[in-house]
Amino acid sequence: MLNRRDILHERRLIKRAIDEIHNGEAKKINFVWMEANGCTGNIISFLNADQPDVLYFMEEMVNLKFSPSLMQAEGEVAYEEFLEVLDTNFILGVEGALTNMDEGFYNIFATYKGVRIPTVEAISLASKKAKAIIAIGTCASFGGISAARPNPTGCTSLGGFLGREVINIPGCPANPLWVMGTIASIILNKKVEVDEKGRPIMFFKETNHTNCPRRSYFDNKVFADKLGDKECMIKVGCKGPITKAYCPLGLWNSRINWPVEANTPCIGCASEFFPDGTEPFVK
Ligand code: SF4
């Protein structure tokens, strides 16, 4: 079981990265955030970051060079800015699943000089030059909701599409501190230790079940009969036992809470089985 020191791990990493940038031992790095097939929930989640917040992150840790949701430029100018950053030292973050079905028609990145450029083409291009590649969220990591049955657009994960290892930070959405902590490691030139699914071990070492405050109920076989009961929710659908994540320790929304403590089962959103293999979410 993780302890309190592990909980602060990402905060220490982020602080150290910022300190080293300030004293010249490390450098701010360009960051490209691309959006493939998904709901853009990860960039929204990222905007909720605190300690540090996203403005501090962008001013002190990275130069956010491209983000369809946040950048000012649009159209051909935005595409040119994207091309420019490819000749620099940059980290590539991708949210959303990928598909090249029907020539990539389901997600168009840009129309440049009259030519439509599918997102998969732009991501392939960027992936060849990136210092590190991060799949942000469950769709990019494992296919997620975008690849759920019957998967009409043929979506797949970023690593599956590129045919190479990437760092997977699942979660629907990914917790912003998991993303920032991973980027801090890259800035510090630390090897990001990952598990067999490409997930940073510092955030995905154990299941939510391992660290759940209701775990003693589970161990004593005392189960909730309905939502709202205070006991272990496994009989009403909780997927904590099959979901490796950091939720009970790192928490969400300014470290306030996570689903089980808000009286709703873990639906396994960070699991590689989500959503087909974790339904029904509630029994
Ligand atoms: Fe495990 Fe869920 Fe029960 Fe918590 S509520 S002990 S995560 S099954």
Side-chain angles (χ1 to χ4, degrees), residues 68 88 107 113 120 145 168 177 205 221 264-265 271-272 276:
T88 70
N107 194 312
K113 299 194 190 307
V120 284
I145 285 179
N168 288 323
L177 288 173
K205 187 176 174 189
K221 300 186 174 40
T264 182
S271 159
E272 62 270 40
D276 292 339

Side-chain angles (χ1 to χ4, degrees), residues 119-198:
T119 296
V120 284
E121 191 179 310
I123 288 174
S124 294
L125 187 64
S127 71
K128 294 188 178 93
K129 300 192 164 187
K131 175 184 168 92
I133 306 173
I134 307 173
I136 303 170
T138 300
C139 288
S141 298
F142 303 128
I145 285 179
S146 299
R149 278 191 302 260
N151 193 3
T153 54
C155 277
T156 189
S157 66
L158 176 65
F161 175 78
L162 294 175
R164 57 178 284 186
E165 285 183 8
V166 302
I167 299 169
N168 288 323
I169 307 180
C172 193
N175 188 306
L177 288 173
W178 308 345
V179 179
M180 275 192 210
T182 302
I183 291 171
S185 293
I186 296 167
I187 288 172
L188 292 166
N189 282 319
K190 288 165 79 82
K191 181 169 167 35
V192 179
E193 301 290 343
V194 296
D195 68 7
E196 74 289 352
K197 301 283 180 194

Side-chain angles (χ1 to χ4, degrees), residues 208-209 212 214-215 218 231-234 238 240-241 258 260:
N208 281 343
H209 182 62
C212 179
R214 300 192 187 197
R215 180 58 190 261
F218 176 88
E231 298 86 4
C232 168
M233 289 188 278
I234 195 152
C238 186
W258 72 292
V260 167

Side-chain angles (χ1 to χ4, degrees), residues 31-44 64-71 78-79 81-83 85-86 90-98 107-110 117-130 132-137 139-141 158 161-162 179:
F31 187 44
V32 173
W33 185 306
M34 298 179 75
E35 295 173 6
N37 290 46
C39 66
T40 67
N42 292 282
I43 191 75
I44 304 294
L64 184 64
K65 289 289 191 182
F66 187 89
S67 160
S69 290
L70 302 184
M71 67 196 298
Y79 186 65
E81 289 187 11
F82 167 73
L83 292 178
V85 77
L86 300 187
F90 72 97
I91 296 172
L92 172 64
V94 175
E95 74 169 293
L98 285 84
N107 194 312
I108 298 298
F109 185 68
I117 298 154
T119 296
V120 284
E121 191 179 310
I123 288 174
S124 294
L125 187 64
S127 71
K128 294 188 178 93
K129 300 192 164 187
I133 306 173
I134 307 173
I136 303 170
C139 288
S141 298
L158 176 65
F161 175 78
L162 294 175
V179 179

Side-chain angles (χ1 to χ4, degrees), residues 33-73:
W33 185 306
M34 298 179 75
E35 295 173 6
N37 290 46
C39 66
T40 67
N42 292 282
I43 191 75
I44 304 294
S45 173
F46 199 67
L47 291 175
N48 281 331
D50 70 344
Q51 300 177 8
D53 65 24
V54 77
L55 285 179
Y56 190 79
F57 168 79
M58 289 195 290
E59 282 166 7
E60 305 292 332
M61 273 176 74
V62 303
N63 304 304
L64 184 64
K65 289 289 191 182
F66 187 89
S67 160
S69 290
L70 302 184
M71 67 196 298
Q72 209 170 21

